[in-house]
Each structure stands twice: as C-alpha cells, then as structure tokens.
Amino acid sequence: MKTESQQNIVESTSDLSLRQVDKNTQHGGGGEGNDDYDPHLHRNVKNPTTNWQTFAHFLKASIGTGVLAMPSAFANAGYVNGFVLTAIVGFLAVHCLHILINSMYELCKRKRVPYLTFSEAMTMGFKEGPPFFKCIVPIATPFVDGFLAFYHFGICCVYVVFIAESIKQIVDEHLVVLDLRIHMCFVLVPLFLIFSIRNLKLLAPFSSFANILLLVGFGVILYYIFDELPPLSERKAVEALSKLPIFFGTVLFALEAVGVILAIEENMAQPKAYLKPFGIMNMGMLIVLTLYITLGFFGYWRYGDDALGSVTLNIPQEKILAQVTKILFAITTWISYALQGYVTADIIWNKYLSKRVKDTSKHVIYELLIRAMVVVLTFCCAVAIPDLSLFLSLVGSFCLSILGLIFPALLQICVQYTTGYGPWKIRLTKNLLLVAFGALGGVVGTYVSIVEIVDAYNK
C-alpha cells in the first residue's frame, strides 16, 4: 500500500514533470529523446514487494469468492459453453490487462514521469487521442476513480456476505439458528482490524498464508465434488442464451481485479517481471484460469442447477471436514477484504481527502476513520442485497465490462492515435470490437442482474 509520503512523492513528481512537458510535444509518439527514459527505473517506492510477494498478492487478488461461484456460472451456460467461454473471457481479460499496463508505460515514457495512475493515464490518453475524446477529458479522472472505487467496494460487499454465510452454516449446525444479517454484525470488528493494515508489504505474509489455506480448501471441495458424480448426460452442454448474461457477469467478477492488479504492479521492486511472457501475470492467470475451469466444470457436473452462489454452500453442512473448509475460506476471504478494499480506501483518502487535511499528524487517524466508514458501508450494502450470486453478477457486469474491457481498449486507441494502427487499421478494429463486446456484455448483464434481483425480492 502506498504510504502518505510515497503518495506525495509520486504525485509531486508526476505533476512537476507533466507541467514541464513542452506543448509542442504533447501529441508526440515518443521520439528519440524519450528512448533513454525508463519509468520503471525512476519509481520511488518506499516499501517495494519482491516478485514472490507480488505473485502471492496476484493469486490472492484473482482467487476470491468468485471462483467458488464458478459451478453456479456454469449452470447458466452449460458445461461446453462454460468451458469455452470461460477460456475466451480469461484470454480477453489478460489481453486487456496487458494493453492497459503497456499503454500506461508508453504514456509514462512520453511524459517522462515514473508512474501514472489508471485515471491519470486515461485523462492523458484522451488528451492525445482522437479529437472527439477531448470533450470528456475534464471528467475522465473522477469517472475512472469512481468506477474503480465502486467496483472494489462492491467486491468487499460480496465478501461480507460470503463470510457471514460461511459462519452461519456452522453456527446453525452446532449452536443456534440466526438470521444472516446478524452474522454480518459479528464480522464487523474482525473486518475493522484487518482493514487497518495500510501497507501492501505488511499484507504479503497474510496473502501467502491465505493461498496455502485456499489450496487445502479447494482440495476438500474437489473431494466432495468427485464423490458420487452423476452421469454427465444429466447435465446440459449448452444453456439458453437468456442465461448467458449472468454467466458473463459472474466470470468477469471472478477473473478481474483491475485496481489491485495495478496497485501490486506499482509497488513492485522489479516491475519488468510483471508482463514477461512467463512473467507474474501470465503464469498467475494460467493457474487461476485452470482452477476456475476445473471447479466450474466439475462443480456443475456434481450439483447441476442446484449449484449455489458459493460451492461451499453445497457441500455437506453436517460434516466436520466441510465445516473446517468453510472456516478456511472465511479466513481467506477476510484477508482478501483488506487487499480489495485497499483500492477504494486509497482512492478516497490519498487522491481526494488527504490534501484537505493540513495537519499531517492527523493523517493516520483520519485514514483509519475513512477505512472504518468503508467497512460500515459495505456492511450496509451486504445487508440490503444478501443474495451472493446475483450480487456477483451485478458487480461484474456493471463495473468490470467498463474497467476491464472498455477502458483498456479505449486507452490503447488513444495512445496509438499518433503512431498508427497497423496495416488496414487492424489494432483499431480489434480494440473497437473489445469496446463493443464490453458494452454489450455490460448493458445486457447489468439489466438481467437487476431484473433477477427485483424478481428475487418480489417473491
């Protein structure tokens, strides 16, 4: 996590460098004068993470409650459609992350600044891109920041529901049956405690520990899944098209964590290792995709249309091993809450509110208060929409189609505006198709998710 001093260093360096860029070179494509400038070598990160720590963060950021919803996602697609479409969405997600980070790096080279945030890069890209984008330059930064903050806030809401669901099943079995919302109240204090850790380097050991618990938990879930598998012929290979939007939203939610992925890259000691062909992102996403497809395929095969928003809700509630597994996943999700919520708290506090508090000695206490407010708000939203699968799809469709597909494609269109789009404008065509795919999936997925939520609460 960025400390206050680090944030000020990056912002002041960025502002100063951007002011010094000559107006005549604002629309340049990175000429010879920029070839010797490597933004990675000029980053000033106070607590950089090692490659292994970054890899642990990447896995933990990408493997959250979404993976446990994959059997439910496959139930909305069929096992053939689910297999193929998850691989396609995964490939598109990785590709968009690559073009996003590469475009941000290219803009840093042109402007000779060590780092630009997602919102700063989008603003700079719109300035340098096709003229019709210039009308949205004034609102680009708050718009992107708002979507990032809202998306990771939505993830935290889902996490509150998931933790409470896991605890409820165990308490219901051994103690007393209580409403789910009461269990949400019980997790508030633990969430306050983990969310008070404000440094990504300090969270690295927690992420590593959580990844070990995840492996154990997945092993137990697969044990229950492979027990008494029914004939595959009882499951649908292809589901109705009307169900695909829910699948799309759930898979996008499961695969993407744009804000955290950018944050952990920013805090790396060796950021060049992130995008190499066999680098952290590609290898990490290969593991993630394999796990998601495996759990989705076999989970749907085992439970069919009865697959719930989290597969942990399908495994036997009365078995001790199953209860231990639910505790393990509750702990890993509790740790993930701090990792995902970091983006929301960082944007609200470091980008917008810290500058308004002149007394720096009070910054820590104010930041902790902001974090406490985020926890309370996620709790309130979780109480309002406690249906896990519908919440997953809504957040994924609405936010990730924009942050994970549309914005990266638009940014590359703008960055390549002055350098060209290749033969027959092939790169432009590819990015326009990504924008269209993201827009269609986002609009349809959001609409269907909202209709499903309304129907669920009108029953």
Side-chain angles (χ1 to χ4, degrees):
M1 174 183 294
K2 285 184 288 189
T3 61
E4 176 192 333
S5 59
Q6 178 193 343
Q7 175 76 14
N8 292 335
I9 289 171
V10 173
E11 287 183 355
S12 61
T13 303
S14 175
D15 293 343
L16 179 60
S17 299
L18 290 175
R19 287 197 299 268
Q20 290 174 343
V21 174
D22 188 86
K23 292 182 180 180
N24 295 327
T25 63
Q26 284 287 320
H27 298 278
E32 295 180 0
N34 288 335
D35 287 346
D36 61 342
Y37 184 83
D38 186 348
H40 291 158
L41 300 178
H42 293 79
R43 287 189 186 177
N44 189 347
V45 182
K46 187 173 181 180
N47 296 297
T49 54
T50 66
N51 289 348
W52 280 110
Q53 289 173 330
T54 303
F55 190 66
H57 277 320
F58 184 91
L59 290 179
K60 193 66 213 75
S62 301
I63 304 175
T65 57
V67 66
L68 301 174
M70 289 305 297
S72 173
F74 271 58
N76 287 296
Y79 60 84
V80 173
N81 265 357
F83 187 99
V84 174
L85 293 178
T86 300
I88 292 174
V89 173
F91 171 79
L92 292 178
V94 174
H95 175 69
C96 287
L97 286 170
H98 273 277
I99 65 176
L100 173 61
I101 296 175
N102 282 326
S103 297
M104 293 170 68
Y105 178 79
E106 175 61 27
L107 286 173
C108 287
K109 283 193 70 174
R110 292 182 189 180
K111 304 308 172 187
R112 303 181 73 83
V113 294
Y115 188 77
L116 290 171
T117 65
F118 192 178
S119 58
E120 290 168 345
M122 290 300 301
T123 301
M124 190 60 61
F126 288 146
K127 287 180 180 178
E128 299 197 351
F132 56 83
F133 280 131
K134 290 180 172 54
C135 63
I136 60 177
V137 167
I139 64 170
T141 295
F143 188 73
V144 177
D145 284 337
F147 263 99
L148 268 177
F150 178 76
Y151 165 61
H152 288 278
F153 175 85
I155 292 179
C156 290
C157 295
V158 173
Y159 284 2
V160 173
V161 176
F162 178 82
I163 296 170
E165 283 272 17
S166 300
I167 296 174
K168 174 178 170 57
Q169 283 206 336
I170 298 172
V171 173
D172 286 356
E173 181 69 20
H174 295 284
L175 296 175
V176 61
V177 176
L178 296 173
D179 187 84
L180 177 63
R181 293 171 175 85
I182 295 177
H183 289 282
M184 292 181 189
C185 296
F186 294 154
V187 303
L188 272 176
V189 172
L191 290 175
F192 281 134
L193 293 176
I194 192 70
F195 204 43
S196 65
I197 300 176
R198 302 174 298 123
N199 189 298
L200 278 181
K201 192 172 182 67
L202 292 178
L203 277 174
F206 289 91
S207 291
S208 299
F209 176 66
N211 288 331
I212 294 173
L213 296 184
L214 279 174
L215 289 176
V216 176
F218 285 131
V220 176
I221 286 177
L222 290 174
Y223 164 77
Y224 281 112
I225 285 176
F226 288 129
D227 183 37
E228 299 181 8
L229 276 175
L232 187 58
S233 58
E234 294 183 6
R235 305 301 179 223
K236 296 180 181 178
V238 178
E239 267 289 359
L241 285 176
S242 60
K243 291 189 174 183
L244 284 182
I246 297 292
F247 167 85
F248 176 80
T250 304
V251 173
L252 258 188
F253 178 93
L255 285 173
E256 286 274 25
V258 178
V260 175
I261 286 173
L262 292 178
I264 60 181
E265 188 272 342
E266 178 189 354
N267 283 272
M268 288 183 68
Q270 298 176 309
K272 289 185 182 295
Y274 207 60
L275 296 184
K276 288 181 177 179
F278 294 96
I280 291 169
M281 181 184 291
N282 288 346
M283 298 309 295
M285 193 56 77
L286 180 62
I287 294 172
V288 169
L289 262 181
T290 301
L291 183 61
Y292 280 30
I293 291 174
T294 300
L295 196 60
F297 180 85
F298 288 105
Y300 173 60
W301 185 354
R302 173 67 174 83
Y303 298 110
D305 292 335
D306 293 328
L308 299 175
S310 169
V311 71
T312 57
L313 303 178
N314 285 108
I315 62 179
Q317 183 170 331
E318 70 282 358
K319 302 290 186 181
I320 296 298
L321 185 59
Q323 293 167 6
V324 170
T325 303
K326 291 170 186 176
I327 294 174
L328 294 182
F329 277 108
I331 293 172
T332 62
T333 306
W334 172 66
I335 294 172
S336 294
Y337 185 97
L339 197 59
Q340 298 289 349
Y342 155 72
V343 178
T344 301
D346 183 59
I347 290 173
I348 294 174
W349 172 248
N350 285 324
K351 289 206 69 173
Y352 291 97
L353 296 183
S354 63
K355 300 171 185 177
R356 300 176 181 271
V357 181
K358 302 302 182 183
D359 187 354
T360 57
S361 64
K362 296 181 179 178
H363 275 198
V364 173
I365 187 64
Y366 277 117
E367 183 177 356
L368 290 175
L369 288 174
I370 292 296
R371 287 171 171 270
M373 181 188 71
V374 170
V375 172
V376 171
L377 288 177
T378 56
F379 162 79
C380 293
C381 290
V383 167
I385 311 178
D387 191 313
L388 192 61
S389 60
L390 296 180
F391 210 151
L392 284 169
S393 180
L394 176 62
V395 174
S397 299
F398 181 64
C399 293
L400 264 302
S401 56
I402 295 175
L403 292 172
L405 298 174
I406 296 176
F407 281 173
L410 289 178
L411 183 59
Q412 190 171 61
I413 288 174
C414 293
V415 170
Q416 294 175 344
Y417 178 63
T418 54
T419 58
Y421 299 113
W424 302 291
K425 297 186 183 294
I426 187 169
R427 291 195 291 266
L428 175 62
T429 303
K430 180 263 297 183
N431 283 321
L432 289 176
L433 288 174
L434 281 175
V435 171
F437 177 73
L440 178 64
V443 171
V444 176
T446 301
Y447 171 77
V448 172
S449 297
I450 292 175
V451 170
E452 293 273 354
I453 290 174
V454 172
D455 290 344
Y457 279 85
N458 285 335
K459 288 180 180 179

